[in-house]
Amino acid sequence: MAVPGNYYFAIIGHHDNPMFEMEFAPANKEPKKEDHRHLNQFIAHAALDLVDESMWTTSNMYLRLVDKFNEWFVSAFVTAGRVRFICLHDVKNDDGIKNFFMEMYETYIKHSMNPFYEPNSPIKSPAFDKKAHFYGRKYLTG
Amino acid sequence: MAQCKLTPHEYIQNAFAPQVAILCSEDADNLCLKNNLRFVELIQPFCRLNNEIRIADPSGNTVPIRNLRVVFEDMNRRPPQPTLGKKLLSEVVTNTPWDRPTIRTIGASGTRGALELELQPTTRWYEAWRDTFLHIQYPSDHEFTKHYLACVLVVASNSDSPLDQLNRLSQYLHQQLHQTPSRYPKWFSPNILKYYLLVHDVTVGDLTKSEQVLEQMSSMYGAGNCHMLQINSRPLDHTDIHLPDPWTQFLVQRASCDPSGGSSSETSSGTGTPREDVSGLPTRVTEGDTTDCCEPVHPLSPPPTTVPTMDEKNGAFDIMPGVEISSDVPVMVDRPTQPPGTPQHHGGCLTSSDVDRIRIFVHEFCVRSLIPHTERQIRHLNDVVTNRSRSKSLLSATRRWLVGNKSPGAATNSVIYSSEATELQTRRLADLCFMFGLYELAYSFYHTAKNDFKSDQAWLYFAGAQEMAALAAFMHNSADYPKRYLHNSLHTYLNVCKVYNFAIRATILSGEVLKHCGEYGEAAMTFIKLTSEESDLLSALMLEQAAHCFIHAQRPLPRKYAFHMTLAGHRYSKAGQRAHSLRSYKQAFQVYASRGWVLAEDHIHFTLGKQAQHLKQLSEGLTAYTQLVDQRLKHEAPSQQSPSQQITYVREFINTFHQYVQQDWEPSMGLPYLPLPMIDSQATRVLLGAAQDKPTSPEWTPASHVSLDSPPAINKRWFALEKELVTGASGTGLKTFRPNLQLLTSETPNTQSPVVPSNEPITLEVLMTNPLAVSLDIADVRLVFMFEGEDGDDSSSAVYHSPHAGFTLPAGAQELVRLELLPKLVGKILIQGVQYKLSLTPDPSTGAASTSSATAPVVVEGQQGIEVRGPRLNSTTAEKCGVVYAKDNRLDISVLPPLSRLSVTFHGIPQIMSCGEMCSTEAIITNVGPCSVSKLCLAVSDPNHVYMETHSTLVPEESVCVLSDSQSVDSRINSRVETLTLPDSELKPGESIRAKLWLHAPLAPGAFEVELLFYYDTSHQTGKNKYRLLRHHESIYVEKSLSLKVTSAVSQNLETSLTQDEKEDTNYSYTSNLVLEALNISEVDSSCQSYKVVGLSSNSKKWAVVPHARLKVQELRVGESCHMCIKGVQHINKKKGNMVLSKYPFEGGQTPGECWWRFSLRTRVSLRDLLADPLPPNPTADHIPPPPTQAQLDTSHITEANTLDTVITIWWKGERGGQLTYGEHSVHLQSLGESASVPSQILVGTAEEEKPPIRIIPESPTQLLPSLIPPPAKQRNLVKVSAQFPGPTQHDFLSDKLCCLEFVLSLHNCTGCNLITFLNLSQDGLPTSSGGGSSQMYSPQASTQLLYVGGTARKVSLPPWGNRQVPIRALITCPGSYSLGSFTLTAIRQDTGRDKTEQPTPQLCQIQTAVTVMQTTRERQTHDVR
């Protein structure tokens, strides 16, 4: 299911604030240069406009492709609490991203049930990191 | 997008205005140049007709044209080269000013998504750019809108022969018109309109002569095509410049469009002469030499060798002799060489009537000549097109059928039409109609042409026609805009023909149209499509327009806007448009601000900083860089940048800061604020007063006092001690106690300004943290403070200030910086912050490599404020609802007049002690301040173990002594405070007193915290801060030594009391047996392992110890124990306050030092815990208590009978490191029969009171008033029993079988209450084993042979302390020894009948006495075993 490629995953809170960010690169390649990391943020942030539009057109949480910029595709997922998951990818991997989103949704819900976690604040849990890493390897980069 | 000045209709009309060429003679131009204007420029402002004119379409209907604009161009003007064109465009964008942004709310205001954005209301640079862009486009062969429709030939009336000149110009024009192959300029058709203009200078020329010339012209060229323009009515020197200057706006644009040759240094003309319009107006030389060249020479290429000669002689190389055309050369000579852009007045010789004449000329030209000419042309072309179209359409239809409908893109255009081809004629006709406002007609012709071109697969032609068809449809009816036409044409331009210029034009136009139609998303997409790698400026402009489209859409997309603004800013910066880049980034940042997109923010800030720095907007750049390096606001999301990136940021920040300070900063405003490193204001600590002086001898240690180095003190304890001190010293209770602080931290209550006497230092500790992964150098740290003297003077000498030299702060490190102030005068000091010099730590690797050339890192100096606040308040409702912090005044310090100051030194306080060890140290208390001390107190947190004395008190030598009230004060201390007496009741400056500090290590191992707090005042000093404090804290390690267990047992013995002066109410003294067990529990690795028990002592109100036998010194090694048994005897003690102190040194032992008895006495003191809340005031304390009831009296009597209240102390001796150590262990026994041990955890397995079974539901309701009577277990020792029995008796059993023994039981009441005693001698009365099994320690009876006779159950009432003899008889039957056995005794208070709850407790008495009865022949003997 996994398709090797570059992925960037972000969870975005209600105030357009990034709560969690993670990049996935194919295992065999070295990670991308750091110079362009800000571009991911720009693209993800810009895609929010289209996410906010397209989430009203469907009852699904998974919105599929919502935006495209140069070589990057942007897929999105909106949770019941209107927290937005954004995934930038340079390869097509619809099923993998969908599964990844679903797993991350579950992980996120579990994390948000922690009474010490304040909603909309950055997620700093190492366990969450680990899970995201695991699912990223499982469904995205392979 | 922002709003455009022009509506889309106006704009499209302008973009496709009819073009008219001007061919001007040199004389005419010179004439105009008096006004600083060339002829073309002169008429430029007036080429729009303000009134409505009418034009007839081919069918004869007249159509109105509003605001027809005609573009007059110099015939010789050539569009610039692409490279130059780019430069022109770039300059236009640079030089166009922009408006202030306005604020708009995006999204529903008040909601979460609402955003307040500063948006650009107009984008004038974009409008200027697109005007210029269209202006510099080359006319193309596939369209005719840029082709000249007419030509105006201009001559001056004052030239030699205007008619000849006209003639020559006509010939030149003819030549241009009919040249083959056709080249620039492009003509609409060979048959263009020619118009002849005579310019007449009113001040110079002769009007009649000119009119004659005009007449001749009219006769030659037709009256309708000739005109005379009279200008320059005003004399040249008349410099009245009140007239409006309508030329400026056109010339500004022009000046920016035309790069000045002089400004471009690359132009290697070699003459140094400024050459304007190099590209706009090619020279004649170029013209003549390069006849086959359809393009002007590159302005930057080396010019032909002939060029320089132009200056020598005008027209020398004119290849058309006799024809004098206007050239730029004279223009250059006459025009003042001013840098472009400087204000310059134009039209100085023109009066308002002259201006009107120019207007009339333009109007005449249009109405009289141009419109009729156009009408003729339209009719002619219409005829041509309609006549040929029918035959043509068949052919094209066939071809279309044969070829099939090919899509564009199959092949590039290869069709070449002749200039007279029908398709082109159709297009020409359509263009003509479009230019003159016949849009409906134009659309039909464009449509036809489009279809024709498509069938011919002439894609460029097709795309052009399609684009124009769409525009014509829009202009005709703006609601009906065929978008697909536009898409198609754009696609064809871009992908098939690859003609970007036309694609750009189509985008510009369609963008306007789409926005007009409300299709913002569509428009944005169109704009974005044009962005490419090639042209940064174009991409930037297009992206910016797209961004504006996003934000102005029906549903605004602010995030898309921000992204595209960022991209635009990026491209602007690549295109060198720094100001625009800065603006775009700034506008984009509003959307990203403070949301946590740190990388994006860093990128934006860095770019902003860079651009602002280049634009010399230093404060703005500094703000951006500050945002980059400032980590204070980013605690939620710290910098994610790599260290190298952070170094770049910091370096740029420092450089900008440096420049900013040098250029823009006002030194009078103090130092600018630095964001690095982070200062944790709350962690700031303030130490007031000087540290304790170092003693001269190393054996002495100073009092620890308070210092910044010591571990954080437990302030609560010290404050509690201080409170006790202040209360004790002042003698009255304090209403509000406020501790006198010497070290102020965030933990201390800082609501009051701290005080410091003058000439004593204030030390401030500041915590600096480097949040970055970059090493920083901090140097020359100073405090920023304000001093305000008491009498208003704030002389700088009032405070001596010592700076900190500096340090290196590695990545992520923290540093505590200490700064000292020494106030010299009374006043107030307000500390505001710190100032320091900041620089990057030079990289050691590069620094070593290039020591000589190593550029010293830029050092900047700035300050940071320190702002402290108190704890959050939470008492009132307002404070609970809001977030209110207490005031914190720790940086607002009052300086007082000098005060006394104490210095205390100690001589050798041990670091390690054994449990119970005692030692003393010398202490010297010196007044080192300038004032004398009149009162000195000391508070000790643990007076049981620590005290200080100035004069030692000795104890009497007797083994048992009664201490008087004053001697036994140690046992009654109730406060931790003691006053140290001063010689002469004052300690003058420099004087000192000696004292002894006694320490008694506690019996529990661990840390022994010795906390001493000295309190002293300054004589003759009044004011709120009357006293000063000095702390000493010592932590001594205490290791295990001995454990001591003392068990007391009741003795039934009655002895005479020890005192001689007895009698009165007591005849007997009671004794008690004490069993002592000492066990060495020290660890194997303890410093002292072997202890010798050398003696013991006791103190009590009435008990004294006497040994049963001589005891010897016992040595105990680890794990060994010894047991001792001593007797406690009552010692009659009359006075209430007196104490009985008995001591008993063992054989070979001695007392452990002179102070042992004080600690021994202090053992019985138990003070309230230092941190406990004060007791609530006792409400009954004031009135006299009621007389005690009988029950209460009885209770006290019963309790007293059981009370032992004795402290048993053993002395021991040990040896540590060759030094003898002495110590004592004390146990406080409260009541008889009890056992106690120290350390208390040893207490296991001792006889405890029986615990009742735990009941969850109480059997009986708990009594509200608990009975005062002690529990039954405490009532056991109420009555003592002793037997008085005969000695050994002889009885002749042979004669008398029964022997009757008579003896007396003596019952003694130990209490002061009336008791009723039940004595049961019968064996039935004994408690059976089922009753209290565990307490049955003795066998019920020793012998069954003995039988009590007579009254075996007696009831005896006993008066207080009374005795009663009870005679008893027993019978025995044979000789032998008989135990008298045991019997039960029950004592109950006499009046207990009223109290049902009290149950008498059976008291088991054992009279372990044997009676021996022998036959009469033998001796009788008694043996008392006890």
Side-chain angles (χ1 to χ4, degrees), chain B residues 229-482:
Chain B
L229 182 61
Q230 300 183 30
I231 56 167
N232 295 357
S233 311
R234 191 197 301 266
L236 188 59
D237 53 347
H238 193 269
T239 52
D240 182 15
I241 50 166
H242 291 303
L243 275 178
D245 188 353
W247 294 274
T248 319
Q249 52 174 321
F250 289 88
L251 287 170
V252 164
Q253 191 183 340
R254 195 185 165 77
S256 64
C257 290
D258 299 336
S260 107
S263 67
S264 65
S265 55
E266 303 97 318
T267 313
S268 49
S269 62
T271 61
T273 312
R275 292 157 22 112
E276 280 195 22
D277 295 356
V278 174
S279 55
L281 278 172
T283 59
R284 284 165 299 165
V285 179
T286 320
E287 193 88 15
D289 284 349
T290 56
T291 40
D292 54 339
C293 178
C294 61
E295 281 182 343
V297 71
H298 193 288
L300 301 181
S301 63
T305 48
T306 51
V307 171
T309 58
M310 280 194 307
D311 293 323
E312 294 156 18
K313 186 171 181 257
N314 285 328
F317 293 88
D318 199 337
I319 52 144
M320 281 172 287
V323 183
E324 283 184 37
I325 336 162
S326 123
S327 84
D328 57 338
V329 179
V331 176
M332 291 327 304
V333 171
D334 289 357
R335 188 174 276 183
T337 51
Q338 280 180 317
T342 48
Q344 175 181 24
H345 196 255
H346 306 286
C349 298
L350 299 180
T351 60
S352 57
S353 56
D354 285 341
V355 171
D356 283 342
R357 283 189 204 115
I358 298 171
R359 279 213 181 89
I360 290 166
F361 154 68
V362 175
H363 188 261
E364 287 285 302
F365 168 72
C366 290
V367 174
R368 293 277 175 78
S369 307
L370 188 62
I371 297 290
H373 173 78
T374 309
E375 285 171 350
R376 279 198 303 279
Q377 283 280 321
I378 289 175
R379 271 200 302 279
H380 165 70
L381 286 170
N382 192 33
D383 288 347
V384 172
V385 169
T386 43
N387 286 345
R388 293 197 195 165
S389 63
R390 197 153 290 127
S391 59
K392 182 79 188 174
S393 66
L394 187 68
L395 184 68
S396 64
T398 319
R399 186 161 53 187
R400 203 174 300 151
W401 180 67
L402 286 170
V403 175
N405 203 351
K406 269 197 178 176
S407 67
T412 47
N413 183 28
S414 55
V415 183
I416 293 169
Y417 293 100
S418 77
S419 67
E420 295 302 314
T422 320
E423 289 88 346
L424 280 192
Q425 296 289 36
T426 316
R427 169 76 211 240
R428 192 171 276 151
L429 173 58
D431 279 345
L432 204 53
C433 292
F434 192 92
M435 282 192 282
F436 286 91
L438 303 168
Y439 296 117
E440 195 179 1
L441 206 59
Y443 174 71
S444 66
F445 289 126
Y446 278 132
H447 198 263
T448 316
K450 173 183 83 92
N451 288 343
D452 288 348
F453 291 136
K454 191 179 181 186
S455 60
D456 292 344
Q457 297 177 30
W459 298 123
L460 181 60
Y461 291 86
F462 164 70
Q466 202 171 29
E467 179 194 356
M468 291 308 288
L471 291 178
F474 171 74
M475 291 300 279
H476 178 59
N477 176 7
S478 49
D480 170 36
Y481 178 63

Side-chain angles (χ1 to χ4, degrees), chain B residues 59-138:
Chain B
S59 51
N61 303 329
T62 55
V63 175
I65 314 173
R66 274 185 208 90
N67 299 334
L68 178 72
R69 178 170 167 258
V70 182
V71 176
F72 292 99
E73 285 284 4
D74 195 307
M75 195 185 86
N76 291 320
R77 174 190 167 270
R78 296 288 178 275
Q81 273 281 317
T83 32
L84 188 66
K86 270 187 184 168
K87 206 174 148 207
L88 281 181
L89 289 171
S90 167
E91 277 173 16
V92 166
V93 174
T94 311
N95 293 332
T96 312
W98 60 73
D99 313 325
R100 294 188 66 78
T102 53
I103 297 202
R104 222 189 97 184
T105 309
I106 302 298
S109 60
T111 61
R112 195 161 52 192
L115 259 180
E116 293 252 316
L117 294 185
E118 276 194 351
L119 297 178
Q120 211 60 45
T122 57
T123 50
R124 281 167 55 191
W125 60 94
Y126 169 67
E127 286 169 45
W129 171 84
R130 68 182 183 188
D131 288 343
T132 313
F133 177 79
L134 291 184
H135 189 243
I136 63 170
Q137 286 310 304
Y138 283 91

